[in-house]
Amino acid sequence: MDLRHWLSRAADFADDWTEQFGPVQPHASNQVSDEQFGVAFDEFTKRLSDNYPFFHPRYAGQMVKPPHPAAIIGYFTAMRFNPNNHAREGGPATTEMERECVAALADMVGFGPHIGHLTTSGTMANLEALYVARQLHPGKGIAYSSECHYTHERMCDVLGVQGHRLPVDALGRVDLDALDHVLHSGQVGTVVVTAGTTGLGAVDPIHEVVALARKHGARIHVDAAYGGFYSVLARAEDTVGLDPRPWLAIADCDSIAVDPHKHGLQPYGCGAVLHADPRAGKHLSHDSPYTYFTDSALHLGEISLECSRAGAAAAALWLTLRLLPLTPDGFGRILAATRRAAVAFADRIKASGELALYQEPELDIVTYFPTGTHLSTVDARSDALLRAGMAAEDDPVYLSLLRTDAEAFLRRHPLVTRDTDSARVLRSALIKPEAEGYLGTLHARIEKLAAEV
């Protein structure tokens, strides 16, 4: 699609729509000339050029990528009106779009009746879910793995809830024996499971956690901020090696956080939180003397910890889902490509003489390192490779690092000598489907850098 063409159409639509309300004389206080703006814009573009090429497959670092053109058009168009989805009177059209998007996300993860909304981030989505968990199980703690996102430990502090940090198995997934032990103590009311850890992309065995948690009367919250959209691929005929069992078990959990601004092709920030039981909304309900007058149904702000939120985020997601539905033939094709890319990249690394695979990828995050006999060597070479790739003027490559403790590293690679307490390894989130066609070039470049460091 031609982005310039549709941006122009979007601007024309906004102009035409505003004309129906009659002319408005702009106030002189906020007027600037084209000359003034030109000076500021030149400075702005120079500043903005100090950025990484997130759009290009040579950027294989963090889990970031540009939004889909449809999301850009949707956001830009709605932003002209600046709707606020906290209350329906702040954004009647985008409120309905948000409700439809949330229903689509609920269907994606297998929730039936539900309650939920978009958020500005996965952090806020997780905070709300844990807040509801505290309200439902007062005095009980929250259990999470040592590989989960740091937000859970932080939010336990915010909420005044005892957090129970659990060890992980050899693949970075929550240890079920440790979970069973802490649940047996009766001190835990909610278990957090992660569908795609930020570091490794590991997926907790949600299907097994559900049975354990229910046996002890505990709730289950799924942090699927990164991996949630893989629920689409888990329901495809060809899962590209993805184990569907954890994803199908999400339907039996109590709440979930998922970030459309990761795999969902949305601009930041667009997260979402969903509760499987609509009655969870009573723990968030509140009233306001100056809003909530335009609809007898609950407003989104009445079931949310957050207040003001951009209606443009809902518009962007709604328009994207009209073109790329949450089905195996829609978003599933994108996820299949990123998953194939990760598997193929891992195979290339395993066949390399300069690189070693840290762990088999479960989703589309691949971890690896330049070969070395000692942990300190692995650490130093990983850092040197990262820096050399970013500093190269003619053929840069952008990776990221993951710090691993010595015990975790040696569980996977026992022949490496421990001479330090931790080591950094390289990490690539192949979150863009374009990475699949670039793997040969990417691997060759990284292997060459490994030989030089």
Side-chain angles (χ1 to χ4, degrees), residues 105 108-109 119 122 125 222 224-229 256-260 270-274:
L105 292 172
M108 177 184 78
V109 300
T119 65
V222 185
Y226 159 58
F229 278 74
I256 185 171
V258 60
D259 279 357
C270 183
V273 59
L274 293 84

Side-chain angles (χ1 to χ4, degrees), residues 14-273:
D15 289 342
D16 292 343
W17 185 84
T18 57
E19 286 179 1
Q20 67 180 299
F21 299 100
V24 176
Q25 182 64 38
H27 197 276
S29 63
N30 60 16
Q31 295 301 296
V32 297
S33 67
D34 284 334
E35 291 75 17
Q36 289 174 302
F37 182 78
V39 172
F41 189 72
D42 286 344
E43 181 184 359
F44 169 74
T45 53
K46 289 177 183 177
R47 295 287 294 272
L48 202 59
S49 65
D50 181 19
N51 225 320
Y52 299 123
F54 301 128
F55 72 97
H56 199 284
R58 72 169 61 244
Y59 181 88
Q62 305 291 354
M63 52 182 71
V64 292
K65 59 181 176 180
H68 193 276
I72 295 173
I73 299 300
Y75 203 102
F76 171 79
T77 308
M79 188 173 59
R80 287 286 301 273
F81 311 129
N82 201 25
N84 177 0
N85 276 16
H86 174 73
R88 192 177 188 279
E89 55 259 37
T94 51
T95 289
E96 294 308 312
M97 290 180 182
E98 179 166 339
R99 287 173 174 163
E100 292 174 28
C101 289
V102 169
L105 292 172
D107 184 63
M108 177 184 78
V109 300
F111 282 4
H114 63 276
I115 197 167
H117 56 87
L118 300 182
T119 65
T120 54
S121 67
T123 298
M124 287 304 302
N126 282 314
L127 173 60
E128 180 178 306
L130 298 188
Y131 171 80
V132 170
R134 187 193 70 176
Q135 301 304 98
L136 287 167
H137 286 283
K140 292 290 186 76
I142 295 172
Y144 46 81
S145 86
S146 60
E147 292 286 331
C148 79
H149 197 275
Y150 66 83
T151 189
H152 296 291
E153 186 170 7
R154 175 181 291 180
M155 292 311 166
C156 283
D157 290 339
V158 170
L159 293 168
V161 175
Q162 182 179 5
H164 298 265
R165 184 182 176 92
L166 304 178
V168 294
D169 64 16
L171 296 176
R173 305 171 301 190
V174 65
D175 184 282
L176 294 176
D177 290 335
L179 176 60
D180 188 42
H181 178 75
V182 74
L183 285 170
H184 191 74
S185 72
Q187 297 178 346
V188 170
T190 298
V191 178
V192 174
V193 289
T194 305
T197 59
T198 308
L200 295 170
V203 180
D204 284 334
I206 301 171
H207 52 297
E208 298 182 71
V209 172
V210 167
L212 274 179
R214 296 309 187 210
K215 183 174 69 172
H216 295 281
R219 303 176 76 257
I220 307 103
H221 169 62
V222 185
D223 182 357
Y226 159 58
F229 278 74
Y230 270 97
S231 296
V232 174
L233 189 58
R235 290 171 170 80
E237 186 174 337
D238 179 8
T239 64
V240 198
L242 189 76
D243 183 354
R245 294 176 299 170
W247 307 96
L248 298 178
I250 292 175
D252 299 318
C253 297
D254 297 286
S255 58
I256 185 171
V258 60
D259 279 357
H261 63 216
K262 291 190 173 73
H263 281 103
L265 297 170
Q266 299 306 294
Y268 289 103
C270 183
V273 59

